[in-house]
Each structure stands twice: as structure tokens, then as C-alpha cells.
Amino acid sequence: MNRILGAYASESSENEHWMSVSDLMAGLMIVFLFVAVAMMHFVRIERDRIKEIAMAYRDTQVSLYKDLNAEFEGDLPGWSAEIDPQTLEVRFLNPDMLFEPGRAQMRPSFSEVMRDFIPRYFSVVLRYRDKVEEVRIEGHTSSDWAGVASVDEAYFNNMALAQSRTREVLALAYALARTEEERSWVRKKIAAVGYSSARPVLDEAGSEDVRRSRRVSFRVITDSETQIKKIIHDTPEG
């Protein structure tokens, strides 16, 4: 009898042990299920946020491009300029019109164009002031620099030149601002950036197009780009 009772007690204890393990495993599975559901919900929310911002970004890009094109379409050929619908860059591409060779001084022809272009450009971009993060006046050069022995020296000489040229354009933009509100906006939102020869224009063969590489552009950066980058930065890595 004792043997029978002992065996029964041992079997009962073993069954209770396995029941406890099973309960623990079931509890862990429920916890993992809740975590998985929560993560799926979080991912869906983040995906919807990015989609909403991306759609707003697209709508802003399209609308701003249409307004810029409507304002300047008739002037672009005479200015040797173009508007990129993807980047919202207004590019001035005729180096013979832009600056004196190797100098930051604007040619009279480019100064005249800027005095016409900048106030009208402000009138368009300021319609989107709540969605504009920054406007960059970007200066680009070719990789050439006469009389230097190294690529590095040419690069940094061109960097200083490109930066000085964009500062000249920015100074004119500031002078052309019509109100204190516009001047304040220029101070806060417009940056002068010299890229030297870092972003050359290439021809069909993949070689640098020296002439087209020497250019000035006005580029709008919308806050949608900043918001998307912030979401990506704040999203925990899986």
C-alpha cells in the first residue's frame, strides 16, 4: 500500500511540476503575443505618419513647383535658367552672365536678373512660409583653377570662391527685402552655401561639363524632409 501511495504521490508531484511549467510557458506566450501586437500597432502608426508626411511633402513640392514655373516660365530661356521639379532648384546656368572669372563680383547682367528674380521669388516662396525649412543659395564651380599644381588646392580655391559668390547674392537678396518681416525671414531662412566642384554637371559620356558646372541655384528645403528624418531618427531599431 505504501508503495502504491508513494508512487501516486510521486506521479502527482511530477504532474504538478509539469503543470507549473506549462502555465509559465502559456503566460510567456501571452506576454510575447501582447508585445508583438503592440509592436505591430506602433509600426502601423509610424508607417501612417510617414505616409501622411510624404503625401504632404509631395503636394507641397508639386504646388510650389507649379507656382514657381507659372511665375518664371517666360523668363527662364532668356536667363539660361531652369527649375527642377524634384529638388525645387532654380538654376542659373550661363557662366558668362554670372560672375567675373575667378572673382565674386556679379556681372551687371546677373545683378540685373537678380533684381528682377529675387523679389518675385520671395513673393512665391513666402506663400509657403509655414512649410519652408530653409532656402539655400548654392554656388558651384568647375574643378578648374588656372596656375595651381594640385587638385586639392584647386578644390579649396574654388570653395572660397563659391562661398564668396553666394554671400554676394545673399547680400543682394537682403538688400532687396521690402519689409522688416522679409528681412527677418531672410536672416532666419536663407543660407549661402559654396560647394566648390563637389557636385559637377556631367555630360552624356560621364565627364565633367565644365561650363554647366559653373552655376548658381536657389533651392527650397521643406519641413516635410525634416519631419521624415526626425521620425526615422526617433524610431527604435529592431
Side-chain angles (χ1 to χ4, degrees), residues 72-206:
F72 297 114
E73 184 177 15
D75 299 296
L76 296 176
W79 293 346
S80 296
E82 65 185 18
I83 303 176
D84 188 321
Q86 302 300 320
T87 63
L88 296 180
E89 287 180 85
V90 182
R91 303 186 187 114
F92 295 88
L93 300 167
N94 182 1
D96 294 334
M97 181 186 75
L98 302 179
F99 298 95
E100 299 292 340
R103 300 175 62 188
Q105 180 181 355
M106 282 186 279
R107 293 182 185 271
S109 55
F110 189 47
S111 177
E112 182 179 351
V113 168
M114 288 293 97
R115 291 176 184 279
D116 181 17
F117 168 77
I118 289 173
R120 293 162 61 192
Y121 184 75
F122 283 173
S123 69
V124 173
V125 175
L126 283 171
R127 299 173 200 165
Y128 301 85
R129 69 182 72 200
D130 294 336
K131 298 178 181 179
V132 171
E133 183 74 17
E134 184 179 55
V135 175
R136 294 179 187 169
I137 302 173
E138 300 178 342
H140 303 267
T141 70
S142 69
S143 59
D144 292 342
W145 190 279
V148 299
S150 71
V151 172
D152 293 341
E153 188 176 355
Y155 172 77
F156 282 105
N157 285 348
N158 277 316
M159 176 68 74
L161 178 62
Q163 188 66 50
S164 296
R165 286 174 169 176
T166 57
R167 286 182 62 188
E168 285 294 306
V169 178
L170 176 56
L172 179 59
Y174 188 79
L176 292 173
R178 293 161 292 193
T179 65
E180 179 54 38
E181 181 183 11
E182 281 192 4
R183 284 188 287 273
S184 176
W185 183 79
V186 171
R187 290 193 298 268
K188 293 177 181 177
K189 295 293 186 178
I190 300 187
V193 183
Y195 283 107
S196 185
S197 57
R199 300 182 179 183
V201 175
L202 305 180
D203 60 23
E204 293 181 357

